[in-house]
Amino acid sequence: MTEKTTGASYAAAGVDIEAGDRAVELMKEWVKKTQRPEVLGGLGGFAGLFDASALKRYERPLLASATDGVGTKVDIARQLGVYDTIGHDLVAMVMDDIVVCGAEPLFMTDYICVGKVHPERVAAIVKGIAEGCVLAGCALVGGETAEHPGLLGPDDFDVAGAGTGVVEYDRLLGADRIRTGDAVIAMASSGLHSNGYSLVRHVLFDRAKMSLESHVEELGRTLGEELLEPTKIYSLDCMALTRTAEVHAYSHITGGGLAANLARVIPDHLHATVDRTTWAPGAIFDLVGKAGQVEQLELEKTLNMGVGMMAVVPQESVEVALTALADRGVDAWVAGEILDRGDRSEGATLTGTYAS
C-alpha cells in the first residue's frame, strides 16, 4: 500500500487564520468605542473610511500625518504579560506628534505583528489602542494583524501606527510664530514614556541586574509597573489650550530628549533656554542615571527627564495657559524663555541644576 502524504498548508507553516478571525471578533467592541460621526463602515473592510466632507468647514484644510511605534518597551509588556497599556503608548507617540502643529487628531490605523496569534492577547493590545484613541479624540478606523512564524518567536510582537489630523492653514503652529520674549511652558510626563528603553533596559537589567518584579522603594512600586506606565496623551489638552490661549508652538519631547526636540520648533535666529531649577525629574530618571553611571547630558539627550510636552506662548498668555492646563489636571509650569540666538549654535539649551 502506498503511504498517504500530507500536502503543505498555511496552518502547517505556522499561520492560524481562524485565530486571526477570533482576534478580530474580540477587538470589535473596543474599536466601536473610538468611532466619530465621520467614520463610515465597520471593522473588517479593506480600508477605513472617513467622510472628508466634514472638512468643508475649513477654508484651507491642511492634513497632518504621522507614524511611529513604541520601540523596545514592547518587550517589557511581553515579559510581564500585560498587553492592554502598550496601545496608549502607540497613540501618544503618533497623535501627540500630530497635535504639535495645531492639528485636530481625526483617525488612526494600527499594525500589530506577532510570532503567533493569541486572540485574547491581540484583543488586549487593540483595547489599549482604542482607549488611547478615545483619550486623543480620534477614531480607530482599521488596522492589520500579521502573523510571522519563524521570523518572530511565539510570544514576540511589535506594534506601529499611523494617524491623520487636520488644521486650518492660518492656524498652523510652528517656528514662524515664535517671538523673542515668549515663555516656554513645560508639561509633566507620566514617566519614561516610550523612548530610551534600549538604554534603560541595558542599565537596569544588564548592568544593575534588577528584575521587573523587584519593588523599588524610590519608585513606590515594582520596577515593571514603573517601566510599563503608559505614555501620557496630551492631544486634547493641547487642543483645549490652543482654543483658550494664544499658542505659538508645541514640542513633543520624545527620542533625542528635551533640548533637541524643542530646538526643532525654534527659528534659526532665536534660542530657547530652559531652566532645570524649575522642576525635579521623577525618581526613575535618577535611578537610571545612578545605576548605569550615566552622565547627565547623556540622560538628557535620551530621556524626557520628566517633561513630555512643551508649549511656547507669548508672555501675556502665560497665566491663562497655566490655568487652562491646571483645570484639565495637567501639571505645568514656566520652564524657560525665548531669546535672540546671538552666537549660540544650538536652538535650545538647558541651564542650572535640577530641583531636588
Side-chain angles (χ1 to χ4, degrees):
M1 178 181 294
T2 303
E3 184 177 350
K4 184 177 180 181
T5 60
T6 302
S9 67
Y10 213 12
V15 177
D16 190 339
I17 295 177
E18 291 184 359
D21 292 340
R22 168 67 175 157
V24 172
E25 287 302 315
L26 291 174
M27 67 178 71
K28 280 183 176 179
E29 65 172 297
W30 298 108
V31 175
K32 286 181 180 178
K33 297 179 185 296
T34 75
Q35 297 305 285
R36 292 171 49 125
E38 304 94 338
V39 176
L40 303 178
L43 191 66
F46 285 93
L49 299 174
F50 190 91
D51 186 356
S53 68
L55 306 184
K56 289 182 178 179
R57 60 188 174 90
Y58 291 84
E59 292 186 9
R60 186 180 176 184
L62 301 180
L63 293 180
S65 66
T67 185
D68 211 336
V70 298
T72 58
K73 188 171 183 175
V74 297
D75 194 54
I76 306 298
R78 180 191 63 79
Q79 291 186 60
L80 290 173
V82 177
Y83 302 98
D84 62 352
T85 63
I86 205 76
H88 286 234
D89 299 289
L90 180 62
V91 175
M93 296 304 291
V94 173
M95 287 305 178
D96 283 348
D97 274 357
I98 284 176
V99 81
V100 161
C101 68
E104 174 192 358
L106 295 177
F107 58 86
M108 182 169 174
T109 57
D110 63 62
Y111 179 79
I112 304 171
C113 183
V114 300
K116 179 178 176 58
V117 172
H118 301 281
E120 289 75 17
R121 183 179 302 173
V122 173
I125 295 171
V126 174
K127 171 180 178 287
I129 297 172
E131 290 174 338
C133 285
V134 171
L135 293 174
C138 66
L140 181 59
V141 298
E144 171 73 7
T145 300
E147 194 170 21
H148 289 177
L151 183 62
L152 297 175
D155 292 327
D156 293 337
F157 76 99
D158 200 4
V159 295
T164 299
V166 62
V167 59
E168 188 69 72
Y169 174 80
D170 62 10
R171 300 188 68 180
L172 184 67
L173 303 181
D176 62 329
R177 290 180 178 262
I178 297 178
R179 300 289 183 266
T180 302
D182 282 355
V184 178
I185 292 177
M187 303 180 211
S189 69
S190 56
L192 292 171
H193 284 184
S194 302
N195 297 104
Y197 272 73
S198 293
L199 172 64
V200 170
R201 289 164 59 245
H202 170 67
V203 166
L204 299 183
F205 303 152
D206 299 339
R207 298 191 58 164
K209 306 300 181 183
M210 299 179 70
S211 73
L212 290 172
E213 292 76 23
S214 301
H215 185 276
V216 183
E217 184 175 352
E218 306 97 286
L219 303 176
R221 53 181 171 176
T222 67
L223 181 61
E225 290 171 331
E226 178 70 27
L227 297 186
L228 209 58
E229 178 68 34
T231 305
K232 180 171 176 57
I233 298 173
Y234 300 92
S235 302
L236 293 182
D237 300 318
C238 289
M239 288 177 59
L241 179 58
T242 305
R243 291 192 298 267
T244 304
E246 182 179 351
V247 177
H248 289 166
Y250 288 115
S251 177
H252 187 197
I253 311 304
T254 56
L258 195 156
N261 279 287
L262 181 56
R264 293 167 67 180
V265 299
I266 304 300
D268 292 341
H269 66 289
L270 296 179
H271 176 83
T273 179
V274 176
D275 185 359
R276 296 186 186 97
T277 66
T278 60
W279 84 96
I284 185 61
F285 302 99
D286 188 53
L287 178 65
V288 173
K290 289 181 177 178
Q293 296 181 313
V294 185
E295 294 183 2
Q296 179 173 291
L297 292 179
E298 181 66 22
L299 282 177
E300 291 177 339
K301 73 178 186 180
T302 307
L303 307 178
N304 66 56
M305 302 306 291
V307 177
M309 182 72 76
M310 304 196 90
V312 180
V313 306
Q315 288 290 342
E316 58 269 24
S317 293
V318 167
E319 291 305 318
V320 173
L322 291 177
T323 299
L325 290 170
D327 288 345
R328 294 187 59 83
V330 179
D331 182 13
W333 63 96
V334 175
E337 62 179 330
I338 303 298
L339 308 171
D340 289 327
R341 176 72 64 99
D343 58 359
R344 301 181 184 89
S345 58
E346 305 93 347
T349 55
L350 305 182
T351 63
T353 303
Y354 291 113
S356 57

